[in-house]
Amino acid sequence: MITATFHLDGKRIVSFQVEGHSGLADEGEDVLCAAVTSAVRLTECAVNDVLGLEASVKVKSEKALISLKLPVGLGQTNESTCQTLLTALMLYLSQLHEEYPENIIVMEV
């Protein structure tokens, strides 16, 4: 199962962690894992490469884990953009949970 955990400070998403495999199909053929990986990588690229921020990203391939933590002190524009991106990711993963409830779970902590 894929577990996506979003860490909040009030209403602000400060970080997320996505871990695990869906088990929907064999590795390399799993459309759910591919969808999740693509969405997470797009979000990370938007935050770090497009916006030029230095969000902390950790990848542990052996655990199928990726996490991203926003830097502190973002300006108003970057903060708003990051919250839009992270909220969209959380919504997308939640929609995948509705479609594949046995294979992905999304939590807010």
Side-chain angles (χ1 to χ4, degrees):
M1 175 174 284
I2 296 171
T3 302
T5 306
F6 289 82
H7 302 272
L8 283 75
D9 181 9
K11 292 184 179 183
R12 179 178 182 259
I13 301 171
V14 295
S15 65
F16 69 82
Q17 176 177 303
V18 179
E19 180 176 16
H21 292 287
S22 76
L24 192 63
D26 292 334
E27 190 173 327
E29 297 178 12
D30 192 322
V31 295
L32 182 55
C33 281
V36 170
T37 299
S38 180
V40 168
R41 293 188 72 188
L42 176 64
T43 303
E44 186 274 327
C45 286
V47 170
N48 281 335
D49 299 329
V50 176
L51 295 176
L53 304 177
E54 295 182 8
S56 171
V57 176
K58 295 182 182 174
V59 177
K60 295 183 180 178
S61 298
E62 69 280 357
K63 291 186 175 186
L65 180 144
I66 185 167
S67 65
L68 180 141
K69 182 176 181 181
L70 292 177
V72 295
L74 297 175
Q76 183 177 357
T77 300
N78 283 337
E79 177 67 32
S80 177
T81 302
C82 286
Q83 290 308 303
T84 298
L85 290 167
L86 296 182
T87 301
L89 176 63
M90 186 168 59
L91 177 60
Y92 176 68
L93 297 179
S94 295
Q95 289 172 345
L96 288 176
H97 167 73
E98 290 176 12
E99 193 171 343
Y100 301 97
E102 302 295 318
N103 305 93
I104 181 171
I105 187 167
V106 180
M107 301 183 298
E108 296 178 34
V109 295

